[in-house]
Amino acid sequence: MVSREQVVHGACRFFLRHGEVDMDGVARSLAISRATLYRVVHSRDGLLGDVLWRLGERQLAQARLRRRNGGVEGVLEITRHFVDRLRGAAPFRAFLRGEPETAARVLFNGSGAVHRRAVSAQKQILLEVPGEWCAGPLDQVAFLYVRIVESAIYAELLGGHPLDPDLAERAARSVLLPRRPTATG
């Protein structure tokens, strides 16, 4: 019997070679039947979510290692490194071009759980990078921050037009900055 971990690992290798997760191709590469593959992973979207998260998590880990600053600048630095690595990933770009509807479904909805995992990872980054954060629950701050970053990364997928990276960074920064007291209270 093949484990889910073995399937995800094999699907990651397949994705890096082909820029997609073709269930027949993944099954052949693992020397298992398509029926066995589906018994283990249940759905292509779920497997894609695991693959995209696994590969993205590696990029995020490398971006975290490159951080040199603390506070808001440290968080933004991690994000810049991550986004640069993601944009440079040819298999990922091929997937976005080839399957935009599937990409949107898996990246942003519950079927792939990528967004939920990204929010959890962002919360961990906020906890590990020293700094004073926006007043509010870190779960919500992380959620808003991730949505802004996703909007910048996937602007063409979502709206057909690229988003100004400087504008996106200013928006992300504003979510992180602590609230300053105003003269009226």
Side-chain angles (χ1 to χ4, degrees):
M1 184 61 140
V2 65
S3 71
R4 184 171 185 92
E5 178 60 31
Q6 290 169 315
V7 169
V8 171
H9 183 73
C12 284
R13 285 192 321 267
F14 190 92
F15 183 86
L16 290 172
R17 280 193 309 271
H18 304 285
E20 67 175 344
V21 171
D22 172 74
M23 297 301 270
D24 289 328
V26 170
R28 274 192 307 275
S29 72
L30 294 169
I32 61 174
S33 71
R34 185 177 160 103
T36 298
L37 178 61
Y38 274 100
R39 243 189 322 277
V40 173
V41 298
H42 306 292
S43 75
R44 180 174 183 261
D45 280 4
L47 180 57
L48 266 168
D50 287 347
V51 166
L52 294 174
W53 178 248
R54 171 87 47 92
L55 297 173
E57 187 177 38
R58 288 179 190 163
Q59 301 301 325
L60 187 57
Q62 291 175 0
R64 285 165 124 159
L65 291 173
R66 294 185 63 194
R67 179 183 62 80
R68 299 292 174 247
N69 295 298
V72 170
E73 290 307 316
V75 173
L76 292 170
E77 183 181 16
I78 291 169
T79 301
R80 280 186 226 109
H81 292 313
F82 174 72
V83 169
D84 288 347
R85 295 185 70 83
L86 201 57
R87 286 189 176 138
F92 185 63
R93 288 192 326 269
F95 169 66
L96 293 177
R97 267 191 322 275
E99 297 187 61
E101 296 86 12
T102 302
R105 187 174 60 246
V106 171
L107 291 168
F108 309 129
N109 296 335
S111 63
V114 175
H115 173 75
R116 179 179 40 79
R117 292 169 178 170
V119 170
S120 178
Q122 187 59 51
K123 181 180 176 184
Q124 287 305 312
I125 290 168
L126 294 173
L127 290 170
E128 74 191 28
V129 175
E132 182 181 343
W133 306 117
C134 167
L138 277 185
D139 290 18
Q140 292 180 13
V141 172
F143 174 87
L144 289 171
Y145 185 84
V146 167
R147 279 299 189 203
I148 291 168
V149 172
E150 287 172 338
S151 295
I153 295 171
Y154 307 115
E156 291 180 66
L157 177 67
L158 295 168
H161 305 287
L163 185 65
D164 175 17
D166 292 331
L167 175 61
E169 186 168 311
R170 285 194 309 272
R173 180 185 301 276
S174 71
V175 168
L176 297 175
L177 289 172
R179 191 170 148 194
R180 302 284 182 220
T182 61
T184 59

